[in-house]
Amino acid sequence: MEIIGRGVGSVGKRLGTGNRGSSRWWVAVAALSLIAWMVVGGIGGPTFGKLSEVSSNDQASFLPASAESTEAREWQNKFTSASSVPAVVLVESPEKLSPAQLVGLGSLGNQLAAVEGVSHSASMVGPIPSADGKAAQFLVPMKQGNGVKESIQSLRAKATGYVADAGLPPGTATYVTGPAGFLADLVNAFGGIDGILLFAALGAVLVILLAVYRSVVLPFVVLLTSVFALCGSILVIFALAKAGAVQLTGQSQGILSILVVGSATDYALLFVARYREALGHVSNKWSALLRAYKGSFEAILASGTTVALALLCLLFSELNSNRGLGPIGAIGIGFSMLASLTLLPAALGLLGRTAFWPRTPKKSPAARRGAASAAGAPGIAGPVKADSANADIPRIWRLLAGMIAKRPRAVWLGAAAVLVVCASGLLQLQASGVPQSALILSKSEAVDGQAALGRHYPAGAGSPVVIVADEIAATAVLAEVKAQGGISDAAMVVAQTGSGGSPLAEPRTNAAPLVRDGRVLINATLSAEADSAKAEQTVATLRQKLHDKAPGTLVGGTTATAADTNASAQADLRRIIPIVLAVILLVLMALLRAVLAPLLLIGTVVLSYAAALGVSAWVFNHVFGFRGADASVPLFGFVFLVALGVDYNIFLMTRVREESPGAGTRAGILKGLGATGGVITSAGVVLAATFAALGVIPILFLAQISFIVAFGVLLDTTIVRSLLVPALSYDIGRRIWWPGRLGRARAMNGTQRVTATS
């Protein structure tokens, strides 16, 4: 990285940016860059609306092929000519339905069967009256695919229309629920990702940029940089998803938009800050641009590489959805870096100082870099007066630098204590998964229907446990299933019922079981709700008993899929966290050419992550009243917070390392803090605002990630990067660079005392 940075500087020297000929050359390069990105935006923009065509939100497809529920599902599909997902259509009356009314419901069954999207390769079952006579249900097999949302809407319209015209008791209501109903409502909740989420994020970023720059032009230049980066990443991701190379889900699509907008804006903020600084030293805008490039290139490259590599560590996940997010996020980060280092410089070069209008930066001879070597801080022997090199540093950062210089140990110990107290909330974190009915935060007919279903039928009706057993052990397995506590009914799928079967449908006495490749299929109805902890425990016990009684028996279904997903997510947490930490540590060592500093930086961001998760657990439980957290939430929070937290430490420490050879490490820390304080704080606010925008999508997982990352980023920028890291580094001094050369060297101008306050 250092070699690349030096190469950038040498290019500027060879080209000689001060003459008219070279300026024309730079204008041509900038114009070509803008044209290329316009083409990317023109193609990628319309592609954004097509991502839903290659996106899947079916939880069963998230699991690896080795999961027991996945194997059971593959065997289940062999008992039908095409895979399907069941929908439950429920008719609920406030009073008991008459025999004639129940018979009349048969015509509703015919209407439901005619709906486009209903699978005719599996049998529809119903109407099935409830024991109290106040409800009847249909089990409708639906084709899998992207059209399930529209098909469920048609089912709901048919059911509602029938009740209005069938003369049923006043107050009779209909619901479409079951796995297909939940999937349709989940797809509907993700619908805002195509527009609402992006506009919310861009709107929040624009407001912040207007406040930061107080410029009319520059905020839109930065914002368009992130938009074009998103367009480029979408082009590549759409092609990969269409080819089946990556699995795109609604949650990864939403995270992609937020990640690209936030990271591209952060990189742009750093580049613009160095460009503004350079304009105060040179008159030629192209020379200033090259100075900005040299000053920010290494930090942006290291930062983006760190986040991209951390995301690629998700490829070690057992869950297909997590593995898909790895390359998807890395591609987004790659385009964020590319746009910040090509499109943004081109636009700034063509606009020059006009980009900052009406607060146009002017050249300030007093702010030349040569004057900076005289700057110092209290606590270093040999005091000198503060000079004008400190004049462009905001007063708040000068005061903060002075406080750190006077009492560094007290500052970092106090900051660490605050984080430890926050981290104590981790004991309240409930991240073992949540019921399917809690995933959707907005109104859901599937959730309401599941509650209505539980009032009249066994709570697990419509989401059976699927057991695949050898034909020779079928009778013994069926008996064991029926004897299991938590199972209200069980039946073997028989040839006469077609390929679908239902545990609620009475099999014919003399019917032979349907056999496929020497195996039979048994459907069992749970007594508890299929998405409850009690149901998962029933499945776990059933698996243990059946594996002992008939080895090779598979237990699957909706409940088993959820249990396997949670187990895989928890295993991912233990596997991926050490890998991410190792990768980030290696990147920091290569960047800072030290061992101690990277270790300390890793430790601070891990502590910051624990603090953010602890506060989030308290908020989820006692403020929002969530029923728990998805098992993947801690892992995603870790990847984003640790990688992005290291980002800001990279911004700070690369500047400290730049200043240290001339002024000494302690003076360099204070100078780096003052020079980067404003831009890193702005970047943190921007990233927090973009992740907070995820809250507009009514999905529990995204809402929790939104809060954890937004709060964690703010915690990191205000406490970790502003207090803990600089104070700890200042207390250690030049040994922070051990065993690198800077750890042994002293300041070029001798030991100094730098005045940090004005």
Side-chain angles (χ1 to χ4, degrees):
M1 294 181 183
E2 185 178 18
I3 295 174
I4 296 175
R6 290 174 180 173
V8 172
S10 64
V11 168
K13 292 179 181 178
R14 290 197 301 270
L15 288 174
T17 56
N19 59 71
R20 185 177 301 175
S22 62
S23 294
R24 285 199 294 266
W25 188 90
W26 281 113
V27 169
V29 171
L32 287 174
S33 177
L34 287 177
I35 291 172
W37 278 104
M38 290 292 180
V39 173
V40 170
I43 301 174
T47 307
F48 187 74
K50 299 179 181 179
L51 284 180
S52 58
E53 299 175 7
V54 292
S55 177
S56 171
N57 295 299
D58 182 7
Q59 187 183 33
S61 65
F62 295 174
L63 287 168
S66 58
E68 183 172 345
S69 53
T70 303
E71 294 184 55
R73 188 185 190 202
E74 292 174 352
W75 273 99
Q76 184 182 10
N77 291 339
K78 293 182 179 182
F79 287 80
T80 63
S81 58
S83 59
S84 59
V85 57
V88 178
V89 179
L90 177 69
V91 179
E92 183 185 34
S93 170
E95 56 189 64
K96 190 172 183 178
L97 296 171
S98 67
Q101 289 170 332
L102 287 173
V103 171
L105 286 173
S107 62
L108 173 59
N110 295 331
Q111 295 180 36
L112 296 176
V115 169
E116 185 177 356
V118 173
S119 174
H120 297 291
S121 62
S123 300
M124 184 177 75
V125 180
I128 306 168
S130 62
D132 60 9
K134 294 183 178 181
Q137 68 168 329
F138 296 84
L139 303 182
V140 185
M142 307 299 297
K143 295 177 182 177
Q144 296 190 53
N146 292 327
V148 66
K149 174 185 171 182
E150 291 73 19
S151 299
I152 293 298
Q153 286 177 341
S154 298
L155 282 182
R156 287 170 174 164
K158 288 289 185 183
T160 302
Y162 174 84
V163 169
D165 301 331
L168 294 174
T172 298
T174 61
Y175 305 91
V176 177
T177 183
F182 275 108
L183 181 59
D185 287 353
L186 197 62
V187 171
N188 187 59
F190 275 118
I193 283 179
D194 287 342
I196 297 175
L197 175 59
L198 184 59
F199 285 122
L202 293 177
V205 171
L206 179 59
V207 170
I208 295 170
L209 291 177
L210 288 170
V212 169
Y213 290 130
R214 283 170 278 181
S215 166
V216 177
V217 180
L218 192 55
F220 291 95
V221 174
V222 172
L223 204 63
L224 286 174
T225 300
S226 63
V227 170
F228 280 105
L230 183 59
C231 290
S233 59
I234 284 171
L235 270 179
V236 175
I237 290 166
F238 179 81
L240 291 176
K242 193 170 186 179
V246 297
Q247 181 169 359
L248 181 67
T249 65
Q251 68 184 35
S252 59
Q253 183 181 339
I255 290 173
L256 170 69
S257 300
I258 293 303
L259 197 59
V260 172
V261 171
S263 60
T265 304
D266 278 4
Y267 303 150
L269 283 166
L270 179 63
F271 190 94
V272 170
R274 296 305 294 252
Y275 182 51
R276 181 195 287 272
E277 183 181 328
L279 287 174
H281 293 273
V282 297
S283 300
N284 186 276
K285 61 182 180 180
W286 300 109
S287 297
L289 201 63
L290 279 173
R291 281 197 178 202
Y293 216 100
K294 184 179 180 181
S296 61
F297 180 86
E298 188 176 31
I300 291 175
L301 182 63
S303 173
T305 301
T306 301
V307 179
L309 290 176
L311 286 166
L312 287 175
C313 289
L314 290 173
L315 289 171
F316 292 97
S317 171
E318 291 182 2
L319 295 175
N320 296 328
S321 55
N322 290 358
R323 283 206 302 272
L325 179 61
I328 287 171
I331 290 169
I333 293 295
F335 273 96
S336 297
M337 287 192 294
L338 186 62
S340 301
L341 294 171
T342 56
L343 174 59
L344 180 64
L348 292 177
L350 293 176
L351 292 171
R353 286 179 166 82
T354 307
F356 297 90
W357 185 85
R359 302 186 68 201
T360 305
K362 302 185 184 303
K363 184 179 179 181
S364 175
R368 291 184 182 276
R369 183 177 295 274
S373 62
I380 304 177
V384 296
K385 292 183 179 181
D387 62 15
S388 56
N390 294 48
D392 58 344
I393 296 177
R395 179 177 175 81
I396 185 173
W397 298 109
R398 292 194 304 243
L399 293 174
L400 188 59
M403 180 179 71
I404 290 173
K406 289 177 182 177
R407 296 182 180 84
R409 190 161 300 175
V411 171
W412 74 259
L413 284 174
V418 170
L419 295 175
V420 169
V421 171
C422 292
S424 64
L426 274 172
L427 299 174
Q428 301 184 43
L429 184 65
Q430 303 171 19
S432 56
V434 292
Q436 188 178 37
S437 56
L439 292 177
I440 304 172
L441 300 179
S442 58
K443 183 174 176 56
S444 165
E445 183 174 318
V447 172
D448 296 339
Q450 192 67 34
L453 200 63
R455 292 193 289 266
H456 305 282
Y457 297 92
S463 300
V465 177
V466 175
I467 300 100
V468 180
D470 289 334
E471 181 183 6
I472 57 175
T475 303
V477 168
L478 179 60
E480 185 68 43
V481 172
K482 287 184 174 181
Q484 171 65 41
I487 299 293
S488 65
D489 190 16
M492 203 176 299
V493 174
V494 295
Q496 284 85 343
T497 62
S499 54
S502 167
L504 297 174
E506 290 294 334
R508 296 181 182 177
T509 305
N510 299 323
L514 186 64
V515 181
R516 291 285 185 266
D517 297 335
R519 292 203 165 192
V520 298
L521 184 68
I522 298 170
N523 285 334
T525 304
L526 291 159
S527 302
E529 293 182 356
D531 58 358
S532 65
K534 187 176 180 180
E536 288 193 15
Q537 183 57 50
T538 299
V539 168
T541 304
L542 185 62
R543 277 179 168 175
Q544 183 179 0
K545 289 185 176 181
L546 292 181
H547 291 169
D548 292 339
K549 190 176 189 67
T553 302
L554 301 173
V555 179
T558 302
T559 306
T561 297
D564 289 347
T565 300
N566 290 336
S568 294
Q570 291 168 0
D572 286 346
L573 190 65
R574 297 187 295 270
R575 181 189 307 108
I576 294 175
I577 282 181
I579 298 174
V580 172
L581 290 176
V583 168
I584 293 178
L585 183 62
L586 291 175
V587 173
L588 288 176
M589 287 179 177
L591 174 68
L592 300 177
R593 274 79 76 184
V595 173
L596 183 57
L599 286 172
L600 292 176
L601 294 180
I602 287 288
T604 60
V605 294
V606 169
L607 180 58
S608 176
Y609 161 73
L613 211 59
V615 172
S616 298
W618 187 88
V619 172
F620 294 163
N621 296 341
H622 304 292
V623 178
F624 296 149
F626 292 149
R627 296 169 62 183
D630 188 277
S632 294
V633 163
L635 175 62
F636 279 77
F638 179 85
V639 170
F640 291 129
L641 280 182
V642 172
L644 296 172
V646 167
D647 261 12
Y648 298 135
N649 283 327
I650 286 174
F651 289 177
L652 170 64
M653 295 306 287
T654 51
R655 186 59 182 260
V656 170
R657 196 178 190 283
E658 180 183 328
E659 301 290 343
S660 293
T665 296
R666 285 192 168 98
I669 289 168
L670 300 182
K671 177 63 177 177
L673 175 64
T676 63
V679 65
I680 294 178
T681 300
S682 300
V685 172
V686 165
L687 194 63
T690 52
F691 267 92
L694 278 174
V696 303
I697 305 300
I699 301 296
L700 180 64
F701 173 85
L702 294 181
Q704 291 176 329
I705 288 295
S706 168
F707 183 86
I708 290 173
V709 178
F711 177 77
V713 166
L714 293 178
L715 192 70
D716 193 81
T717 54
T718 55
I719 295 182
V720 177
R721 191 269 317 155
S722 299
L723 297 173
L724 180 57
V725 170
L728 180 59
S729 301
Y730 191 94
D731 194 16
I732 296 173
R734 60 189 174 88
R735 290 172 297 171
I736 195 78
W737 306 114
W738 179 88
R741 185 179 57 187
L742 279 177
R744 302 185 300 271
R746 294 187 179 274
M748 292 173 59
N749 295 327
T751 306
Q752 303 175 352
R753 178 183 177 89
V754 181
T755 302
T757 57
S758 58

